[in-house]
Amino acid sequence: MKITKSISSLKETILSWKSGGEIIGFVPTMGFLHAGHLSLVGLSKKKSDKTVVSIFVNPTQFNDPRDFQNYPIDLDKDSDILDKTGVDMLYLPLMEELYPGGEKSNQIWVIPEKLDKYLCGAARPGHFRGVLTVVAKFFHQVNPDIAFFGKKDWQQARIIEEMTKSLFFPIEIILGETIREDDGLAMSSRNVRLSPKDRKEANIIYKSLRETKEIFEQGETDSEKLRNILAEKLSSSQNGEIDYAEIVFRSDLSPCKGKIEKGGALMAVALFYGDVRLIDNMEI
Ligand code: AMP
């Protein structure tokens, strides 16, 4: 596996691959890799000739500086895993190249218009501005044919799909399913920051989503009632504090009203355990 830090050497390699007609797949991550990330790598290896993975903890998408400071990092382990998985290139962007003069000096931002009005966009002001800006930078640098994102971060995936269309990036976006721990908790790099007690309790997120989905499948289609059921199930958590528990349209992420049609909605949840914020969702 090639490891590159500079944009120039990244571009040189990508260009040589592309001139040989090879399809480039790209998986951007913030590292501290788990099976969720690796499922995207697996998709990329299936669909592309060369797979590039980036690891960069992007400061501009953290609305909470403590969350940024505490974000887990283990580059040696990550690089070992990616090498063994058969990734072709690990891109470790340099802060000074991505944000010359520091992130506060960044002049041009990519800002979503509507899709960030709800869920994490509402709960984390500026978050998606940071995400879109860094992903746009990466798209220009890596110039992939296909980029892979996880449905676990549904809103992020939807906003990136729209940015790709809107800014005419010639990139296909492919979404991967959420990979879960044995007890149903969605894998996340932040899970290691949970206390043992909170970690044990955190499967309530998946359980609540599943049980609410069952109630929907048994015939309860009123969005308001389902939203209340979901929130009530989550609130039985001792230590978890609900940030949001929503039922939204999958396409524009606005809150559902009245009756829900099968196949169009998404239950989306964010829960705090102390300062660790976990998100999850389930299609209904
Ligand atoms: P992150 O490193 O958390 O920024 O995530 C990098 C990519 O992996 C994003 O596209 C995420 O949506 C995706 N991802 C994170 N967790 C999971 C998971 N449990 N299952 C599938 N994809 C995931």
Side-chain angles (χ1 to χ4, degrees), residues 29-248:
T29 81
M30 297 203 297
F32 212 75
L33 301 175
H34 50 67
H37 297 114
L38 297 183
S39 73
L40 298 179
V41 169
L43 281 180
S44 174
K45 282 172 61 72
K46 247 190 236 156
K47 303 254 177 195
S48 339
D49 300 309
K50 296 287 184 196
T51 293
V52 179
V53 174
S54 65
I55 297 181
F56 180 68
V57 184
N58 173 39
T60 65
Q61 71 189 68
F62 286 82
N63 56 311
D64 175 357
R66 274 176 316 165
D67 189 24
F68 176 59
Q69 264 137 35
N70 292 328
Y71 201 84
I73 296 177
D74 191 340
L75 273 183
D76 289 341
K77 187 166 165 222
D78 286 351
S79 141
D80 201 40
I81 292 173
L82 293 175
D83 191 24
K84 290 196 173 105
T85 314
V87 163
D88 299 282
M89 183 191 277
L90 169 58
Y91 174 39
L92 300 171
L94 297 166
M95 183 64 195
E96 58 270 28
E97 277 202 309
L98 268 192
Y99 295 105
E103 74 267 27
K104 295 209 168 68
S105 307
N106 196 58
Q107 290 295 313
I108 306 294
W109 297 92
V110 185
I111 302 171
E113 178 61 31
K114 281 200 187 121
L115 285 168
D116 71 335
K117 293 285 170 280
Y118 312 100
L119 311 179
C120 291
R124 303 180 66 189
H127 170 63
F128 287 114
R129 177 182 90 140
V131 170
L132 289 189
T133 301
V134 84
V135 171
K137 286 173 191 266
F138 289 157
F139 278 4
H140 283 299
Q141 294 169 357
V142 178
N143 194 14
D145 299 287
I146 319 176
F148 299 84
F149 294 89
K151 286 190 188 175
K152 189 212 151 220
D153 300 277
W154 185 285
Q155 189 174 25
Q156 166 175 286
R158 274 294 298 123
I159 293 181
I160 288 170
E161 279 180 335
E162 284 304 318
M163 176 187 77
T164 307
K165 261 198 269 171
S166 210
L167 300 185
F168 298 95
F169 283 105
I171 300 171
E172 184 188 356
I173 303 295
I174 294 186
L175 306 185
E177 298 301 322
T178 301
I179 307 299
R180 301 178 177 282
E181 303 285 357
D182 289 344
D183 67 349
L185 178 65
M187 288 194 176
S188 163
S189 308
R190 289 184 174 91
N191 290 352
V192 292
R193 296 195 50 234
L194 294 168
S195 72
K197 183 171 181 294
D198 290 348
R199 168 62 192 86
K200 206 159 162 224
E201 207 193 273
N203 69 354
I204 195 159
I205 301 174
Y206 179 66
K207 209 162 153 261
S208 304
L209 288 166
R210 269 246 41 99
E211 289 174 3
T212 308
K213 182 167 176 154
E214 270 162 32
I215 292 170
F216 170 72
E217 283 168 348
Q218 283 156 13
E220 179 55 81
T221 58
D222 184 89
S223 54
E224 208 43 56
K225 281 193 187 145
L226 287 168
R227 196 174 279 123
N228 289 339
I229 290 167
L230 178 61
E232 206 175 292
K233 288 185 180 297
L234 286 166
S235 61
S236 67
S237 156
Q238 253 187 358
N239 292 346
E241 198 187 307
I242 300 175
D243 194 15
Y244 63 72
E246 265 299 350
I247 302 191
V248 297

